[in-house]
């Protein structure tokens, strides 16, 4: 085992190939994490926009008189 390890560590071509392989794996993991972070940020922005619209609707409904709201909600109710 020692002879194999000393051969691998003494050969610059093999070390270069191994270093390239490890670097490629590291870059791939980095890209995967960056993509996941970007997706989470996109979803958070989408949820924030939806929450903003929901708040605007709530505010608009709160500004209406009660009888108008009841009439509007009747059209949405399932019988």
């Amino acid at each position: 085992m020692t002879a194999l390890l000393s051969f691998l560590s003494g050969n610059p071509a093999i070390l270069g190939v191994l270093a390239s392989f490890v670097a490629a794996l590291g870059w791939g993991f980095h890209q995967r994490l960056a993509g996941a972070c970007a997706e989470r940020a996109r979803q958070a922005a989408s949820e924030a926009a939806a929450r903003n619209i929901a708040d605007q609707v709530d505010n608009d409904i709160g500004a209406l008189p009660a009888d108008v709201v009841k009439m509007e909600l009747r059209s949405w109710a399932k019988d």
Side-chain angles (χ1 to χ4, degrees):
M1 186 67 166
T2 304
L4 180 63
L5 288 176
S6 66
F7 171 72
L8 292 176
S9 65
N11 191 339
I14 293 176
L15 283 177
V17 168
L18 289 175
S20 298
F21 180 71
V22 170
L25 283 177
W27 180 75
F29 287 134
H30 178 269
Q31 290 299 102
R32 185 175 178 94
L33 289 175
C37 288
E39 178 64 20
R40 282 192 295 270
R42 187 188 65 78
Q43 287 178 356
S46 173
E47 289 172 4
R51 182 73 248 164
N52 189 20
I53 291 171
D55 289 343
Q56 288 176 356
V57 169
D58 287 343
N59 289 339
D60 291 346
I61 290 175
L64 293 175
D67 55 341
V68 174
V69 172
K70 286 180 187 176
M71 291 297 292
E72 192 68 32
L73 290 176
R74 271 192 210 137
S75 66
W76 287 80
K78 292 184 179 180
D79 294 329

